[in-house]
Amino acid sequence: MTLPPDHPAIPKPRIGVLLMNLGTPDGPDVRSVKRYLGEFLSDRRVVEIPAIAWQPILRGIILNTRPKKSAHAYSQVWREDGSPLAAITRLQAAAVKDSFGPEVLVDWAMRYGRPAIAERLSAMQAAGCERILLAPLYPQYCAATTATANDKAFAHLAGLRWQPALRTLPPYYDDPLYIDALKTDLETSLAALDFVPDAIVASFHGMPKRTLEMGDPYHCHCQKTARLLSAAMGRELTVAFQSRFGPQKWLGPATDETLVELAKAGKTKVAIFAPGFSADCLETLEELSIRGRESFEEAGGKDFAYLPCLNDGPAGVAMLERLLARELEGWTRRG
């Protein structure tokens, strides 16, 4: 059918895939970190305290003390191509962008900071994406990660007259594709070490304990991931939780305390990895690889190795391609 000469240009219908991760400051400087932390810690999914009580603490104390310390930490892991999390997420998107044919556009965004989710959704729609798969890159579901990334996308769509059709990538904590990718990657990393670990620690990001009591499945998802991976590898894994913040009780055992206890118990050769992170970031490269090593060695540990996340390596990319392809079924095979 021929359109009238004055008809607006209509792009060819396409499908969008938006990879979403947590976020990062624009730079490892105090001002950028303060702006980022202000957005991150104002999210009601992240800090579930009434704003009237929380915001004075955040604005009056935390944002005047924490950014300097965090900026120093970021400066220790910052790459030439930017923040590790942003750089790796960009590489992951690039690695799968041609995997689903010319009708599928793959992009990436951050929940906090840039590129923003709303910005990339607008770009996708302008490029003709009438169907979009939101892909939060969190294997284990948590309201403070998966849900808030989806919330941000839904909030953008709420303001649109013409909304695209939408799907979301489910958590994949027990998916055989994910477990096999972790196993393959870990065994490769372990084989490259010049020592045999006495213990292997699986460190997941921590959450306040009350989130479990309120019904968040995150803790259960983490434990099942570790249990399935341990069975697949045929060796014991020590589960721990990192990144505590504030005085409330958090999921445990704590990673830093676990490393000290292992060293004091005579397990002086330890490897640690972070299966809940799809890409290396501040929490893995600084908190685990740098500070974790220091805590372990100060307690008497001798050999310590941090094993990288799946990142944009072969096992991780292959897993991501297959997960996304499965969720695109029916969209990419339309008759």
Side-chain angles (χ1 to χ4, degrees):
M1 184 179 70
T2 303
L3 296 174
D6 60 344
H7 196 285
I10 300 177
K12 181 180 178 181
R14 302 180 74 184
I15 298 162
V17 175
L18 187 65
L19 307 184
M20 302 187 296
N21 219 316
L22 188 74
T24 183
D26 292 332
D29 58 279
V30 174
R31 184 175 180 180
S32 295
V33 172
K34 183 175 183 178
R35 183 168 56 246
Y36 165 70
L37 289 177
E39 182 183 6
F40 173 52
L41 296 176
S42 291
D43 187 343
R44 297 293 297 278
R45 290 277 200 184
V46 174
V47 181
E48 297 180 277
I49 299 173
I52 193 170
W54 171 243
Q55 283 297 319
I57 298 172
L58 176 63
R59 304 292 167 182
I61 302 174
I62 295 173
L63 292 183
N64 288 314
T65 56
R66 190 175 178 89
K68 184 177 181 180
K69 181 179 179 181
S70 294
H72 173 70
Y74 273 108
S75 70
Q76 292 183 281
V77 300
W78 208 260
R79 300 164 35 143
E80 287 187 7
D81 53 354
S83 154
L85 182 64
I88 294 168
T89 306
R90 181 171 60 246
L91 290 171
Q92 289 170 323
V96 301
K97 74 179 182 67
D98 298 323
S99 302
F100 314 108
E103 67 176 327
V104 179
L105 172 65
V106 179
D107 204 346
W108 63 285
M110 295 282 127
R111 168 59 182 89
Y112 314 101
R114 294 181 286 192
I117 290 172
E119 169 201 325
R120 300 324 303 156
L121 286 174
S122 293
M124 282 187 161
Q125 196 167 31
C129 294
E130 298 178 356
R131 304 170 186 231
I132 297 176
L133 170 62
L134 301 175
L137 297 181
Y138 306 109
Q140 298 78 24
Y141 176 92
C142 183
T145 54
T146 311
T148 190
N150 287 335
D151 282 349
K152 199 68 174 178
F154 300 154
H156 174 69
L157 265 63
L160 299 181
R161 163 101 27 208
W162 186 0
Q163 294 179 334
L166 209 64
R167 290 178 178 175
T168 61
L169 177 68
Y172 47 96
Y173 62 98
D174 61 350
D175 196 297
L177 294 173
Y178 167 61
I179 300 301
D180 186 60
L182 286 176
K183 176 180 181 291
T184 299
D185 210 53
L186 275 175
E187 289 179 343
T188 299
S189 295
L190 288 168
L193 298 180
D194 59 2
F195 68 92
V196 177
D198 299 320
I200 301 175
V201 179
S203 180
F204 294 90
H205 199 288
M207 286 298 296
K209 189 175 180 181
R210 68 188 181 91
T211 61
L212 173 62
E213 298 162 354
M214 293 169 68
D216 198 303
Y218 178 71
H219 181 262
C220 300
H221 286 188
C222 294
Q223 294 289 353
K224 189 168 185 181
T225 292
R227 189 165 64 250
L228 291 173
L229 182 57
S230 176
M233 296 181 66
R235 58 190 307 169
E236 182 181 0
L237 298 177
T238 300
V239 176
F241 294 86
Q242 63 185 89
S243 308
R244 289 167 296 173
F245 176 75
Q248 58 192 310
K249 189 171 182 60
W250 283 64
L251 297 176
T255 299
D256 54 354
E257 294 173 357
T258 296
L259 289 172
V260 169
E261 289 169 3
L262 286 171
K264 289 183 176 179
K267 295 187 176 182
T268 60
K269 301 178 181 182
V270 164
I272 190 168
F273 70 109
F277 295 84
S278 61
D280 276 307
C281 55
L282 182 72
E283 286 79 5
T284 64
L285 299 175
E286 191 272 340
E287 184 178 354
L288 294 184
S289 185
I290 297 176
R291 284 193 283 134
R293 176 188 295 275
E294 291 172 352
S295 298
F296 181 67
E297 291 179 348
E298 286 171 3
K302 296 179 180 178
D303 293 307
F304 177 94
Y306 168 70
L307 310 179
C309 296
L310 291 173
N311 294 330
D312 59 323
V317 168
M319 176 204 70
L320 190 56
E321 286 177 341
R322 294 179 67 185
L323 287 175
L324 296 174
R326 188 169 63 198
E327 298 307 316
L328 290 170
E329 288 281 354
W331 280 3
T332 54
R333 297 181 181 179
R334 301 196 300 273

